[in-house]
Amino acid sequence: MEKKLQARFLEITGRVQGVGFRPFVYRLANKFHLCGYVKNDVNGVVVFIEGHAKDIDLFMQEIYLETPPLSEIVNIVMQKKEPLYSKEFKIIHDESAMQLKTAIISPDFAICDDCKKDILKKNHKYSNYFATNCTNCGPRYTIIKTVPYDRENTSMAKFIMCASCQNEYLDPLNRRYHAQPISCHMCGPSLDGTIRDIAQKIKSGAIVAIKGIGGFHIVCDATNDESVQKLREAKNRPSKPFALMCKDIKQIQSFSIVTPEEETLLKSKEAPVVILKKKILLDSIISNDVAPNIERIGCFLPYTPLHCLLFTILTQPIVATSANFAGEPIITTKEELEKKLPFVEAILDFDRDIVNGIDDSVAQIVAKKVQLLRIARGYAPKTIKLPYKLNKKILAVGANQKNSIALAFDDQIIISPYIGDLNSIRTFEFFLKTLQTFKNFYDFEADIILYDKHPQYETTKWVKKQNKESYSVQHHLAHIYAAKAEYGLESDYLGFTFDGTGYGEDGLLWGGEVFVGDKRKYHFKPLKLLGGEKAIKEPRRVALSMLFESYSLDEVLKINLPFSLSEIEVLYQSYQKNLNAPLTTSVGRLFDGVASLSKLCHFQSYEGEAGLLCEMRYNKDSSEFFNYTIVDGEIAIEFDFFDKEIVTKFINTLVEIVVSISKKESLDVILSGGVFQNKTLLELIVERLNKDNIKYYYQQKTSINDGGISLGQISYYLQHCSCKN
Ligand SMILES: [Zn+2]
Ligand SMILES: [Zn+2]
């Protein structure tokens, strides 16, 4: 006798739309002879299956195992149902549900292994085709104009699928089923030059530009000193390291150390630039000018078919740096590139438009775990699910540097990609454009706007003009709450925020604060920033200020710092009379001062340079540290400015301070702020906190630097408001 049929209804949430999830369910159902249907709905995917109990069990086991690479199941709710006795399994295309505009916009992903194989095959439909993609890889966010994510809403709309692509697109068993950007030699985008020619130009030493996923890269031969120097001069970028794109892991290993965790990250579908440690080599193939003076180097692997094809010709690594003009956003069109970067000798362009520009992401491994330093291609837009629903729509406009924006509505927070430093007019325009893009995606109109307390931030000035209900959130509390959002934390924590400079409650520039809950309980001893903003670019000014704290003018004059006599006298006046000498508690600035005192760096040509140089000088065999005092919550380090090991002792002192306060306060710890991008410092702290069994959190998947401020503003507000259902 035939066993009775059983039926189940599944509601699957997570990243399950636009990633090949329905065809995956279709194949699985067929494999186990189940009938029913699968379709998208507002929350994800719903599945109805009917068949024998044993087959349903097998189906349920495999649904977790062989999921499509880009999908992510958050939850499956299963209900028993009466069978409908359907005769087949169907994919239902009912996109009306999608019009609600809550669907997650997927980031862009690196070319998958199957597509890599396709383009390298001989006499294959996709042989050498630079824009090959499938459901498991390729562009998304960068080509979307609006949701739902269908071809007609992307910059692929103008390319009409050929019969062959159409067949693949419509075949649920094909890897390119419903891959919106599907295209081939016959019907898709085409290059305005050849990969061979551009490769020849690179080999001959030229500086070229190549269109990528989110914008153009400026490219040159990384083994050619002359080319790299030429690029540095043209971009007026004396020492900020360039990222390197390499043919494969083996090539990266020839000049840098790659741990297993770093290798996994390099090969991931997000394919970020990974900051690695250089090997100490006498005859490194890489030009010294790629990342001068530091022991780190940022590398990434080819992530588009175009890159992969380029490396079938090139044997050397290439510099691949975002094409932009002095602090402006990444360039996405050939016209702008020709206008703004006239030094580029050749351009390889194609006719699939970049709708939303986006930079490469940057990441590092700290204590064997990923830490994202710049959240862009592959990671953004990023969604954080909330355990409750909101009755208001909230926009957070973030910080002025490394700006990102965040939106909260329904039961989610959506974080934009990295936007940049808003002091440039073009970057501020890019901020406005990104805001508009996200408003369009989600039919979003903010009820409430959140911003930083700094009155001079461009974002603050913008918010004041909006005539909306708005609240400011203190910068460092936002840092702590960003970490709380990432980990879903609610109670009180001991929050260390070591940072550059942010606007404090008392009008001073904070950046070395320790909070218990929302209360600032400790802070570093304020230091005068001689010349205000100027001091941020000139560590020597911080060093001088530190010296003035301890020595007379006559004594300071005997110390060898790169100032003229008259400069020192003027700065001494400014120190004494508090003229253009704002007070700061910033730990980032202390790093600058220490870097200058140890003659590592008197002028900073890029942010974080002093810290990177300090890491290099750190002597891991020494555990010595400076004495410090904590009086009325004020932390003062008793520096010996002439100690040869000042860098090591300073870093060790910071570790001691964090550990001893953590022990005293006996609360779980949060570490946030840009200073915790310092791998040496963070790893030392983590090691000690582990040893002492102190529970700690630091951001890994969201920005620990100012890129996380928008998320933190929302998180702070959500924990203090009554806008939750
Ligand atoms: Zn693919
Ligand atoms: Zn085609």
Side-chain angles (χ1 to χ4, degrees), residues 112 115 133-134 136-137 175:
C112 71
C115 285
N133 62 78
C134 75
N136 302 332
C137 71
R175 198 173 87 239

Side-chain angles (χ1 to χ4, degrees), residues 125-126 160-166 182-188:
K125 178 183 169 191
Y126 294 105
I160 309 300
M161 278 182 224
C162 68
S164 162
C165 284
Q166 181 102 32
I182 185 177
S183 61
C184 70
H185 287 288
M186 294 289 294
C187 64

